[in-house]
Amino acid sequence: MQKASVLLFLAWVCFLFYAGIALFTSGFLLTRLELTNHSSCQEPPGPGSLPWGSQGKPGACWMASRFSRVVLVLIDALRFDFAQPQHSHVPGEPPVSLPFLGKLSSLQRILEIQPHHARLYRSQVDPPTTTMQRLKALTTGSLPTFIDAGSNFASHAIVEDNLIKQLTSAGRRVVFMGDDTWKDLFPGAFSKAFFFPSFNVRDLDTVDNGILEHLYPTMDSGEWDVLIAHFLGVDHCGHKHGPHHPEMAKKLSQMDQVIQGLVERLENDTLLVVAGDHGMTTNGDHGGDSELEVSAALFLYSPTAVFPSTPPEEPEVIPQVSLVPTLALLLGLPIPFGNIGEVMAELFSGGEDSQPHSSALAQASALHLNAQQVSRFLHTYSAATQDLQAKELHQLQNLFSKASADYQWLLQSPKGAEATLPTVIAELQQFLRGARAMCIESWARFSLSFLLLHLLAAGIPVTTPGPFTVPWQAVSAWALMATQTFYSTGHQPVFPAIHWHAAFVGFPEGHGSCTWLPALLVGANTFASHLLFAVGCPLLLLWPFLCESQGLQKRQQPPGDEADARVRPEEEEEPLMEMRLRDVPHHFYAALLQLGLKYLFILGIQILACALAASILRRHLMVWKVFAPKFIFEAVGFIVSSVGLLLGIALVMRVDGAVSSWFRQLFLAQQR
């Protein structure tokens, strides 16, 4: 066998595995088609008259705007309990004192003094809890794909309809300051922007101080309609120190002062939104779907009364994507086309002085517009792809048709409206929640082609005569050592356990705007064991020789032949270990091929077992917590290992070629 044929055949087998991984990934991980349709004021989401006679009003679209301006303060990794008001569990005793508790005291004070002006919500985040995916959800109202977690290093412009696009299309002035991830997601969308590098998690203050330098002067200038400030200090403090460190108390106290300063400068037509994009674990990391990671804070405040009732004792839990349709309608904008969130209905009640009937009717109008938009999206999406389950989709459309008919009857028959309103609102909410649940469930489908490709790749028989056959137990032990080293070096197949600090090895001051270098360093740290053991795998060809005693080996002689042995010692000597490779060179490359296939087979069995577990337990509650991250780590580990194996075999071939050349030169020299 020739060098090129061995490498090409192994590369072909690797390609079969890659194709299987790609097919399974496209079916298992949360995937969906990203539609490029956009909502517009000229095209209402469905038939029927628009609420409150908004047609023809200046600045009105689907619904008349309730606010002219919005200040969105995004505090990265603002976990819900960071903002939750602290109450003592035992009367007369102070509440539990931890660095991250009770530092946002301004929120609690506002909720107590102005209960009709503010609300605190527990924002339920969809995994993965990485910043770029959360920004997509907070602007599109849709679900980012699970595999998008890898795109957190290199963000790409959002092509789906989103709030930023709707604002710019309406001529609103959007000013941004903070995390430079927004620059890649929304290129050229801001009338004014102040971007700061975001990846250096050891830097707690540069981004936040840069925002504060421009925040209040920008507010006072009045040259804005939407002001977005994305603070990173809390997130970076979590990564560097964890939430239980005194530095976390300092960062949260700083954010509390920021909120106080903004509240003092707000005008009556302005809404303040303080939100966390995700939470963090007890170690300060994020990326998975643990309770602490998916629980973020959301605080709304307006100088004018917005809420008809006082806040509940326990804050309401809402999906994070619900903020998108809510802000769109409050600002008089169309809801982004692909939104699957549900409007926060109480914001459309009209304040504490509004009548119960008019409040309920306003909520129903907002919910109906939202339901029309979601129904239109489902219809368009199902026509473009077969992702959504037909039976559930049909049931949802029937539910929407009934709710819409009841709503239209409600508008035409005001006499029976008071008794029917709660039913209509419940039907619309049921439709919206059912649609979101169906999308989450339907965008996880499965392909059995992966299993077939693995069987094809692993079922190629290769037998090699001669002394180079490496036993299966040796190859298996080598592969298991790579896995054991992965765990023994402190790694785990979950996103929060990634050693992000590895990105700064050799670069303590950060990387500037470069993203590929830190990604490469983190990847090298995570999969170093896979790479090193794969590159060293061809050394197992020496296994048969290592099982023998070193030095000169005498062939066993029958008794009485000692004299003949003394006469012909040179004929009885065995070559030294590696030198025996030259005895049968025609078997060497075939042995390399066999060893490579054995190693790929064992790695393939590992990822196949992971895929089978994920397929069998795909509806388990832990699928996105355990099985999806495990599959991603196994798949990436297989790719790294296969590339390392090809490099290792190519290196051994290069060494073998050099040794062969040296032998030929030595042989020619002896002949002379």
Side-chain angles (χ1 to χ4, degrees):
M1 299 187 71
Q2 301 299 316
K3 298 179 182 179
S5 60
V6 170
L7 289 175
L8 287 175
F9 188 79
L10 284 174
W12 168 249
V13 174
C14 290
F15 170 76
L16 290 179
F17 279 106
Y18 297 161
I21 291 172
L23 281 174
F24 186 84
T25 300
S26 67
F28 171 63
L29 296 177
L30 191 61
T31 53
R32 61 181 176 85
L33 177 67
E34 291 190 348
L35 301 178
T36 56
N37 306 57
H38 290 81
S39 300
S40 67
C41 292
Q42 291 73 31
E43 185 182 356
S49 59
L50 294 174
W52 301 340
S54 58
Q55 287 177 315
K57 287 189 176 181
C61 190
W62 294 357
M63 178 177 282
S65 62
R66 295 178 61 88
F67 294 97
S68 302
R69 293 179 169 183
V70 166
V71 177
L72 172 59
V73 178
L74 195 64
I75 303 177
D76 210 292
L78 183 65
R79 206 167 71 190
F80 173 73
D81 56 349
F82 291 2
Q84 187 177 22
Q86 296 303 299
H87 302 288
S88 176
H89 296 287
V90 180
E93 293 187 8
V96 178
S97 178
L98 290 172
F100 57 84
L101 294 179
K103 297 303 181 290
L104 298 180
S105 57
S106 61
L107 304 187
Q108 182 173 356
R109 186 171 59 255
I110 293 171
L111 289 170
E112 292 174 352
I113 298 175
Q114 297 177 290
H116 295 281
H117 296 246
R119 275 292 186 280
L120 176 66
Y121 299 94
R122 183 192 295 266
S123 179
Q124 194 72 18
V125 178
D126 297 298
T129 50
T130 43
T131 295
M132 192 272 282
Q133 286 65 41
R134 296 300 92 227
L135 296 183
K136 290 180 69 174
L138 281 166
T139 54
T140 64
S142 60
L143 297 175
T145 57
F146 196 87
I147 196 62
D148 267 354
S151 301
N152 205 48
F153 287 106
S155 307
H156 302 284
I158 296 178
V159 298
E160 291 182 282
D161 195 7
N162 57 80
L163 275 178
I164 305 300
K165 182 175 181 60
Q166 289 294 341
L167 286 165
T168 55
S169 298
R172 308 289 180 88
R173 297 164 297 177
V174 183
V175 177
F176 176 83
M177 50 192 72
D179 186 347
D180 61 355
T181 303
W182 292 72
K183 177 172 61 176
D184 298 320
L185 295 177
F186 307 101
F190 304 110
S191 60
K192 186 182 295 184
F194 306 94
F195 298 112
F196 301 95
S198 60
F199 195 78
N200 188 358
V201 296
R202 297 187 178 187
D203 185 352
L204 308 186
D205 301 312
T206 298
V207 177
D208 293 359
N209 292 341
I211 294 173
L212 293 176
E213 182 182 346
H214 301 283
L215 180 59
Y216 300 130
T218 302
M219 280 198 71
D220 296 337
S221 71
E223 298 177 353
W224 58 277
D225 296 304
V226 174
L227 178 57
I228 304 173
H230 187 167
F231 291 89
L232 289 176
V234 172
D235 178 67
H236 287 187
C237 184
H239 286 299
K240 185 177 181 180
H241 301 294
H244 295 83
H245 195 275
E247 283 294 329
M248 183 61 76
K250 288 175 58 178
K251 293 308 300 182
L252 290 173
S253 297
Q254 183 187 33
M255 294 299 100
D256 189 61
Q257 294 175 5
V258 170
I259 295 170
Q260 290 183 48
L262 292 173
V263 168
E264 293 170 0
R265 289 171 169 82
L266 288 181
E267 299 180 359
N268 290 336
D269 63 345
T270 306
L271 176 68
L272 172 65
V273 180
V274 180
D277 56 343
H278 51 74
M280 66 172 66
T281 64
T282 54
N283 296 325
D285 297 318
H286 58 91
D289 71 341
S290 67
E291 180 61 30
L292 293 177
E293 292 170 272
V294 301
S295 181
L298 174 62
F299 177 77
L300 304 179
Y301 171 77
S302 170
T304 57
V306 178
F307 303 95
S309 60
T310 57
E313 290 188 10
E314 188 64 28
E316 183 184 353
V317 179
I318 63 164
Q320 188 182 57
V321 291
S322 295
L323 185 62
V324 173
T326 303
L327 288 181
L329 294 183
L330 288 175
L331 290 171
L333 300 172
I335 300 175
F337 189 90
N339 163 74
I340 58 171
E342 173 191 343
V343 293
M344 299 153 66
E346 64 177 339
L347 278 160
F348 299 87
S349 300
E352 59 180 322
D353 297 329
S354 60
Q355 297 299 319
H357 174 71
S358 60
S359 288
L361 185 59
Q363 292 182 25
S365 299
L367 286 167
H368 185 251
L369 275 175
N370 189 188
Q372 284 182 311
Q373 168 265 317
V374 172
S375 175
R376 181 184 64 176
F377 166 70
L378 293 179
H379 177 76
T380 306
Y381 190 90
S382 61
T385 181
Q386 302 302 313
D387 287 358
L388 303 179
Q389 299 183 19
K391 182 179 179 181
E392 293 185 21
L393 183 62
H394 181 69
Q395 292 175 347
L396 281 173
Q397 294 294 9
N398 288 340
L399 177 60
F400 169 72
S401 298
K402 181 180 184 305
S404 184
D406 290 343
Y407 173 75
Q408 296 298 336
W409 178 86
L410 191 72
L411 297 179
Q412 297 170 6
S413 306
K415 290 184 179 180
E418 198 162 332
T420 312
L421 260 175
T423 303
V424 173
I425 291 175
E427 289 175 344
L428 292 169
Q429 289 177 330
Q430 183 183 356
F431 165 74
L432 290 167
R433 294 167 187 176
R436 181 172 179 270
M438 181 190 67
C439 289
I440 293 175
E441 182 178 359
S442 298
W443 288 334
R445 61 193 189 282
F446 299 86
S447 170
L448 295 178
S449 304
F450 174 79
L451 308 181
L452 177 60
L453 284 172
H454 263 59
L455 292 175
L456 290 174
I460 303 173
V462 177
T463 58
T464 305
F468 305 116
T469 302
V470 181
W472 277 101
Q473 58 266 31
V475 184
S476 301
W478 193 259
L480 290 175
M481 283 176 63
T483 303
Q484 191 273 339
T485 305
F486 173 82
Y487 287 99
S488 64
T489 51
H491 296 94
Q492 296 181 37
V494 290
F495 293 117
I498 293 176
H499 295 177
W500 298 109
H501 61 269
F504 303 98
V505 174
F507 300 89
E509 302 302 324
H511 309 274
S513 59
C514 177
T515 56
W516 63 267
L517 182 57
L520 182 64
L521 290 172
V522 172
N525 175 274
T526 305
F527 298 103
S529 61
H530 297 77
L531 182 62
L532 293 176
F533 277 87
V535 171
C537 182
L539 296 177
L540 291 176
L541 283 177
L542 301 179
W543 179 271
F545 308 121
L546 293 174
C547 295
E548 301 174 0
S549 60
Q550 298 184 6
L552 296 177
Q553 301 293 324
K554 299 287 186 178
R555 295 192 181 99
Q556 293 185 357
Q557 301 292 333
D561 288 349
E562 290 82 356
D564 292 339
R566 286 193 296 270
V567 174
R568 303 187 308 275
E570 70 281 1
E571 297 179 10
E572 309 302 330
E573 293 179 357
E574 290 283 355
L576 284 171
M577 294 177 66
E578 294 89 340
M579 304 302 293
R580 292 176 63 183
L581 296 175
R582 313 311 321 155
D583 289 349
V584 278
H586 55 286
H587 292 153
F588 181 57
Y589 292 151
L592 276 176
L593 176 61
Q594 183 192 46
L595 176 61
L597 288 175
K598 283 183 176 180
Y599 196 68
L600 289 175
F601 177 83
I602 293 172
L603 295 178
I605 289 296
Q606 290 180 352
I607 193 172
L608 179 61
C610 182
L612 285 173
S615 299
I616 294 170
L617 301 171
R618 61 188 180 273
R619 300 304 178 199
H620 195 280
L621 291 175
M622 303 287 281
V623 65
W624 301 121
K625 182 179 181 65
V626 176
F627 305 117
K630 174 66 174 173
F631 172 74
I632 291 175
F633 275 82
E634 286 289 350
V636 176
F638 176 85
I639 294 172
V640 171
S641 297
S642 61
V643 172
L645 179 67
L646 292 175
L647 290 175
I649 290 177
L651 179 62
V652 168
M653 288 181 172
R654 179 70 182 87
V655 173
D656 178 68
V659 172
S660 299
S661 176
W662 178 74
F663 264 80
R664 284 194 298 271
Q665 294 176 8
L666 183 62
F667 180 74
L668 291 175
Q670 289 177 344
Q671 284 185 334
R672 294 194 188 99

